[in-house]
Amino acid sequence: MVATHTPPSETLDEALAELQESFDLLGDWEERLAYVIELGQGLEPLPEADRVEANLVPGCASRVWLAVEDGGERLWFHADSDSAISKGNIALLLGLYSGRTRDEILGFDARAALDSLGLPQALTRQRANGLNQMVGRIREAALTPAG
C-alpha cells in the first residue's frame, strides 16, 4: 500500500532558490555545514525494513540508505545515514526531489544546482563523490518505469 503524500507546492527551481537564499544568509562554510547537518536532524526516521543492502548508496564516505516509494506519477524518497553530514546532504536532496515527477527529476540539473550552492566545494572529495552518488541513485529511480 502506498501512503498518501502531498506533492510539493513549488517548482524545483523555486525550492532551489529558497535553499540558495538560506545559504546566502549564512556567513561562512562552517555555518552552512551546520545548517546542512540541521536539515538532516529533521529527517523522518527510516524504518528498519528499508535499512537493507539494496538501499545502500555506493561510493559514500559513510553508510547512506535511500529508499524509493513509487507513487506512479511521482517518486517519494526516504533516507538515513550514520553520518551527520551525509544525513544532511541527503535531507537537502530529499527536500528538492521527493514528491516530484520523473520528468521533473530528470529535467533538473542537479550538478549545476549543487554547484550554485557551493556544496561540493565545501566537502571532502569522498563526501562530494557520495553526494553525486546520491543524485545518481535518485535519477536512476526516475528512469525506472512506473509500477
Side-chain angles (χ1 to χ4, degrees), residues 42-142:
L43 273 182
E44 295 280 327
L46 188 68
E48 281 303 314
D50 288 331
R51 292 175 182 270
V52 295
E53 188 76 25
N55 288 339
L56 279 173
V57 179
C60 293
S62 57
R63 295 184 347 147
V64 175
W65 295 269
L66 178 63
V68 181
E69 183 182 330
D70 187 339
E73 180 183 334
R74 296 180 180 275
L75 296 176
W76 304 93
F77 299 96
H78 310 282
D80 199 2
S81 176
D82 58 6
S83 155
I85 292 175
S86 293
K87 190 171 184 168
N89 285 338
I90 198 71
L92 184 146
L93 292 176
L94 266 55
L96 288 171
Y97 286 114
S98 197
R100 304 288 176 183
T101 66
R102 287 172 164 76
D103 288 343
E104 285 177 299
I105 292 169
L106 295 173
F108 186 66
D109 187 347
R111 185 175 305 271
L114 294 172
D115 284 346
S116 75
L117 295 173
L119 195 53
Q121 298 84 351
L123 301 171
T124 64
R125 170 178 266 134
Q126 190 174 12
R127 289 207 187 278
N129 180 53
L131 186 62
N132 286 329
Q133 293 295 327
M134 292 175 212
V135 170
R137 181 64 72 90
I138 290 169
R139 291 182 58 80
E140 185 179 292

